[in-house]
Amino acid sequence: MRLHSALKSLLIGAATSSALFVRRAEISTSPVRELVSRTDNEKNDSNYELSLSCRNSPEHRACWDGEHNLWTNYEDISKVPTGELRKFELTLTNGWIAPDGYNVSKILVNGQYPGPPIEGNWGDTFEIVVHNQLSDGNGTSIHFHGISQLGTNRMDGTSGVVQCPIPPGQSMTYQWRANQYGTSWYHSHFSLQYTNGVLGPLIIHGPTSANYDEEYTLMLSDWYHVSAFTLFYSEVLGSPPIPPSKLLNGKWKFPCNSTDPQCVPNEGGFTDFKFEKGKKYKLRLINTSTTYMQTFWIDGHTFTVTAADLVSIEPYKTDVINIAIGQRYDIIVEANAETSKQSNFWINMKTCVIPPGATPPECSTEDARTGIIRYDSNSTEDPPRISNCANIQVCHDESSIVSFKPIIKKTVPMPPASVLQELFPASDSWPDESIPWNQSTGHRWNMGNETFFGDWSNPTYTYLGAESGGQSKPLPESYEAIYLNGKDEWVYFVINANWTQTRPGRMPITLDHPIHLHGHDFVILAQITNEQFQQGAIKFNLDNPVRRDTAVMPGGGFLVIAFETNNPGAWLMHCHIAFHSSAGFALQFIERESEILGLMSGSEAKQFHDQCGAWREAWEVNPARLASLQDSGA
Ligand SMILES: *[C@@H]1O[C@H](CO)[C@@H](O)[C@H](O)[C@H]1NC(C)=O
Ligand SMILES: *[C@@H]1O[C@H](CO)[C@@H](O)[C@H](O)[C@H]1NC(C)=O
Ligand SMILES: *[C@@H]1O[C@H](CO)[C@@H](O)[C@H](O)[C@H]1NC(C)=O
Ligand SMILES: *[C@@H]1O[C@H](CO)[C@@H](O)[C@H](O)[C@H]1NC(C)=O
Ligand SMILES: *[C@@H]1O[C@H](CO)[C@@H](O)[C@H](O)[C@H]1NC(C)=O
Ligand SMILES: *[C@@H]1O[C@H](CO)[C@@H](O)[C@H](O)[C@H]1NC(C)=O
Ligand SMILES: *[C@@H]1O[C@H](CO)[C@@H](O)[C@H](O)[C@H]1NC(C)=O
Ligand SMILES: *[C@@H]1O[C@H](CO)[C@@H](O)[C@H](O)[C@H]1NC(C)=O
Ligand SMILES: *[C@@H]1O[C@H](CO)[C@@H](O)[C@H](O)[C@H]1NC(C)=O
Ligand SMILES: [Cu+2]
């Protein structure tokens, strides 16, 4: 998915040609130094000044448009470039595809998988019209992962929270402004639907903390050959099957049995990327998986990490990176491999199925080869196999606390014990929680006190009074609401997996879960495996801790996060293993409740009400959910 160079110049050109970006008389031509060093934690004022007066180019990636740069505090929307309006249309249809050579029924976005990129510049306003043309009765809604939606909670795309699903045959327009920049993705937030294909890259061009010449986007995913909706029951009655296949930018070669009628031998293959010796490439890695964490490396190359989710960090070098579901990394790879013996190199991706503390699985169990880097653009040969295993001991989240230093620094106040709230994720016996855990055949997840269930026909906004002139009703327990009423205050949560069982039907489970928060980048104050949380005994990382929107809660341990209540709205926090979230691993923050409905314009309020009316009508004639579908809706 190489960014077409014409499109790129159009995008950059668009920003610089805007009347607001008056070209300065003197544009610096001397290169801004290779940015801040890993040891220098202070903003280098002369770099800052230099990069203010220059424009983004291969030698000046910290610069942007002559007015803004890598050090601009984008969380303050008044400091963000003005940008322009960019329009997109996404049409969802059911269709058959064979991206890995195995013919399956999926949902396509504009006739393709993955969906087309939504792409623009820092500061732009994005308008996305979504058309639900599905023939399977499914509703839909689109979430823009990691986008903070400052002041636009209603555009967050969470079915059952900020909207009723878009009914079949209908459309909805989302509009939001990009105050952040970097690499992300959009995906359906209607139950397990994204696993069936509803996703695509979301690229917002902006400054980068290391220089590069060209860029590619890499969508990494696991891939099922059956509908995710049918697999939901294997989650509830055990665990979902290991995905049989995987895809890099919608391609792979599944080892197909040619007697299987669904095999399409001449389809599928490896996505390849052309490298020119001496150039530097920015690879935007996006993990759009459903079930498992993956580890990523490229034979013969090391790389420099410049961003974690939508947060630029001081560059650091590594040769392998673990990416949890929902996470993104921007890496810079220098095309400097030893090419005397081979001109093509494998891009490798391996599933992490290991529980914390376990020994890594045999390297031979899964073929890691996933895509190809080609220095010889004429070659069509497969590279020789170099390594089938990365040099990793345990497949955990990146040790981000040690490695990642955000460029825009923040110091977090020490939390008093009274504000630190603990959440105890659990697996509950289901449907009857009073049955001892090991005697129940069904189980669901629970992140707050109960397993999450949001009624698509009565979203959180309806309870907040969106359809009753602001007259609110208490939210049902299963909506798992945590009220955050303070304004611009730090709030702190311990997501704690190491606790003592007190109820026979509720069990702590030693599994890693990638925790994703909507509406905020959270800071990670602690992320510790196989240990008990004890206030006072744990040292919090308060000095410029890593910020991101997805981080792993280590099984048997805990994750301590914090964020500032600077964005009123109803925001989900959930596990990004789609099956877990669907089985209840979710809760929602009601942040500054009294301000939420005031953010909706009159036409938005009408759209909300009309869409919910149409959805309720459509749903009544399609009682599948009530009769059989038992998932949380998130
Ligand atoms: C900042 O950068 C300038 C020029 O690139 C250099 O001379 C100076 O030593 C740097 N200051 C610090 C604190 O690193
Ligand atoms: C995939 O299966 C569908 C439904 O059976 C069929 O219409 C389609 O032609 C098949 N595609 C390929 C490439 O075989
Ligand atoms: C969505 O469609 C799938 C088939 O594509 C079906 O199995 C599932 O029940 C539908 N879900 C809802 C909620 O309509
Ligand atoms: C392919 O499928 C056929 C029929 O199901 C089976 O007999 C055969 O053993 C399979 N071949 C391989 C290589 O799995
Ligand atoms: C994507 O995330 C899943 C789940 O966390 C993980 O199993 C997988 O290894 C990740 N993929 C990559 C390429 O890192
Ligand atoms: C690829 O083939 C074309 C045409 O044969 C040739 O002009 C070009 O130099 C080749 N490129 C490389 C990298 O060998
Ligand atoms: C279930 O767990 C309890 C207590 O942990 C244990 O005493 C009992 O034997 C277990 N039952 C089964 C069927 O494994
Ligand atoms: C769980 O219950 C406790 C005690 O009733 C309450 O203080 C807390 O807010 C609840 N948490 C959630 C997530 O509902
Ligand atoms: C929970 O923490 C204790 C001590 O801090 C540790 O010994 C134990 O292994 C942890 N439990 C799990 C399941 O990791
Ligand atoms: Cu999970």
Side-chain angles (χ1 to χ4, degrees), residues 482-557:
I482 297 182
Y483 289 85
L484 306 173
N485 292 325
K487 185 166 186 263
D488 298 328
E489 279 176 7
W490 282 97
V491 291
Y492 302 80
F493 294 90
V494 184
I495 305 164
N496 191 346
N498 192 322
W499 47 276
T500 310
Q501 191 184 8
T502 53
R503 291 200 245 176
R506 190 165 281 195
M507 187 80 137
I509 298 281
T510 310
L511 255 190
D512 283 10
H513 299 274
I515 305 293
H516 172 53
L517 173 64
H518 292 216
H520 295 272
D521 286 328
F522 53 73
V523 293
I524 303 177
L525 302 185
Q527 186 180 30
I528 297 177
T529 308
N530 300 119
E531 232 182 271
Q532 221 152 6
F533 174 74
Q534 282 172 293
Q535 174 97 11
I538 302 297
K539 192 180 167 297
F540 291 135
N541 185 29
L542 301 166
D543 177 23
N544 196 27
V546 60
R547 293 190 299 279
R548 60 188 317 169
D549 56 58
T550 310
V552 172
M553 179 203 75

Side-chain angles (χ1 to χ4, degrees), residues 167-214:
Q170 300 212 2
S171 306
M172 176 174 173
T173 303
Y174 294 90
Q175 201 190 72
W176 46 267
R177 178 133 179 257
N179 66 304
Q180 306 140 287
Y181 51 84
T183 305
S184 199
W185 55 312
Y186 61 87
H187 61 80
S188 161
H189 227 296
F190 175 88
S191 183
L192 285 158
Q193 198 177 56
Y194 90 74
T195 305
N196 280 6
V198 187
L199 56 87
L202 171 53
I203 308 294
I204 303 164
H205 296 273
T208 304
S209 66
N211 290 332
Y212 62 92
D213 299 292
E214 294 186 32

Side-chain angles (χ1 to χ4, degrees), residues 340-496:
S340 59
K341 293 204 183 72
Q342 66 184 97
S343 61
N344 305 324
F345 297 84
W346 286 109
I347 296 171
N348 303 287
M349 182 171 136
K350 222 167 155 53
T351 308
C352 308
V353 278
I354 32 179
T359 45
E362 283 303 310
C363 283
S364 57
T365 51
E366 177 194 354
D367 194 342
R369 296 172 292 181
T370 312
I372 302 171
I373 300 277
R374 293 191 190 284
Y375 283 76
D376 176 357
S377 56
N378 291 340
S379 163
T380 54
E381 271 168 30
D382 282 358
R385 183 158 167 163
I386 297 184
S387 56
N388 196 41
C389 223
N391 177 27
I392 42 161
Q393 279 76 45
V394 192
C395 215
H396 273 315
D397 206 359
E398 281 300 295
S399 54
S400 52
I401 289 200
V402 184
S403 313
F404 299 169
K405 307 274 178 244
I407 299 278
I408 313 260
K409 295 174 183 37
K410 267 190 192 176
T411 304
V412 181
M414 182 72 188
S418 57
V419 305
L420 201 71
Q421 196 169 331
E422 280 187 77
L423 302 165
F424 301 98
S427 171
D428 291 359
S429 295
W430 181 79
D432 183 355
E433 208 210 283
S434 68
I435 294 177
W437 193 87
N438 60 1
Q439 284 162 33
S440 177
T441 43
H443 298 99
R444 297 240 266 198
W445 294 98
N446 146 1
M447 189 181 192
N449 293 330
E450 267 203 63
T451 182
F452 183 88
F453 180 89
D455 176 2
W456 285 330
S457 296
N458 289 290
T460 303
Y461 265 52
T462 300
Y463 286 94
L464 297 181
E467 293 183 273
S468 50
Q471 203 70 38
S472 66
K473 291 179 289 188
L475 282 157
E477 296 244 331
S478 73
Y479 280 52
E480 290 289 288
I482 297 182
Y483 289 85
L484 306 173
N485 292 325
K487 185 166 186 263
D488 298 328
E489 279 176 7
W490 282 97
V491 291
Y492 302 80
F493 294 90
V494 184
I495 305 164
N496 191 346

